[in-house]
Amino acid sequence: MQSGKHKMKQIRVADWMTETVLAVETFDSISIARQLMAKHRINQLPVLDNDVLVGIVTDRDLRDAYPTSMMIDRGKAIDRFADSVTVEEVMSHDVFTVRPDTPLKKAVGLLRRHRIGALPVVKNRSLVGIITRSDILDFVLSELSVATPARTNRNNKKTTSVGRRTPGKTA
């Protein structure tokens, strides 16, 4: 017996990953990657070569690749430079990945141990999603709202916590 507790269903990466993944190709410029990240407010993009995951490029990779602020008055030169450098030149080639059925706890451990912000989710060699620190925080917040007991307010009326987020569809 488990001392009165119900056995908790194994929470998988597929339950909390983002399925719609923006990605770039190896030949895309860092300018394109930067624009995508800014427009969609994301910090990392998987890098594909003929639909095969070959790396990941982060906002830090792009910041490090851009010329220093000493060139701030040379905007056109910076733009030309950013258009001439490819994502492949600045991306991380050794990328950690997980499968949709990977336990969420294991994915969190990888993110924390390697101090990274995202893990591409791969199934049968195809990119099917991404699990990010933001996705993990969504999970934590949902669990906190479920675990928060009903409280009594000043008028002795019972209040309840916010309901749990419904996880995304699995692949």
Side-chain angles (χ1 to χ4, degrees):
M1 193 178 283
Q2 295 184 347
S3 61
K5 292 183 181 179
H6 293 104
K7 186 175 180 180
M8 193 168 144
K9 178 186 154 231
Q10 178 88 5
I11 300 167
R12 304 169 307 136
V13 165
D15 298 326
W16 288 94
M17 71 183 189
T18 301
E19 291 179 343
T20 306
V21 184
L22 291 172
V24 289
E25 295 282 342
T26 54
F27 56 79
D28 286 327
S29 70
I30 61 172
S31 175
I32 289 172
R34 185 176 182 192
Q35 289 169 22
L36 267 175
M37 286 183 190
K39 179 179 180 180
H40 296 281
R41 297 182 54 164
I42 57 176
N43 299 321
Q44 50 276 319
L45 290 165
V47 181
L48 305 176
D49 186 12
N50 294 318
D51 293 328
V52 174
L53 180 71
V54 294
I56 193 162
V57 65
T58 68
D59 56 344
R60 177 176 286 178
D61 295 330
L62 298 179
R63 278 194 312 270
D64 289 350
Y66 266 77
T68 67
S69 60
M70 301 295 282
M71 294 185 65
I72 201 74
D73 62 333
R74 300 173 69 187
K76 291 196 185 301
I78 291 172
D79 290 344
R80 279 192 305 277
F81 170 82
D83 288 336
S84 70
V85 177
T86 65
V87 168
E88 186 174 33
E89 295 175 71
V90 302
M91 71 182 195
S92 298
H93 292 268
D94 296 325
V95 59
F96 292 98
T97 63
V98 290
R99 295 183 317 273
D101 61 344
T102 300
L104 189 62
K105 184 176 182 178
K106 182 176 180 180
V108 171
L110 284 170
L111 290 170
R112 184 150 178 5
R113 184 171 38 259
H114 298 287
R115 296 180 174 208
I116 54 179
L119 292 164
V121 182
V122 178
K123 182 177 182 181
N124 299 328
R125 299 181 46 128
S126 294
L127 182 67
V128 296
I130 192 165
I131 187 88
T132 67
R133 284 184 296 212
S134 293
D135 296 324
I136 303 302
L137 290 173
D138 286 344
F139 165 74
V140 170
L141 287 173
S142 75
E143 291 300 308
L144 287 175
S145 68
V146 168
T148 303
R151 300 182 302 278
T152 304
N153 65 18
R154 290 184 181 185
N155 298 326
N156 289 331
K157 292 183 180 176
K158 200 170 188 179
T159 60
T160 57
S161 62
V162 178
R164 181 177 177 168
R165 172 188 161 203
T166 304
K169 296 177 184 174
T170 58

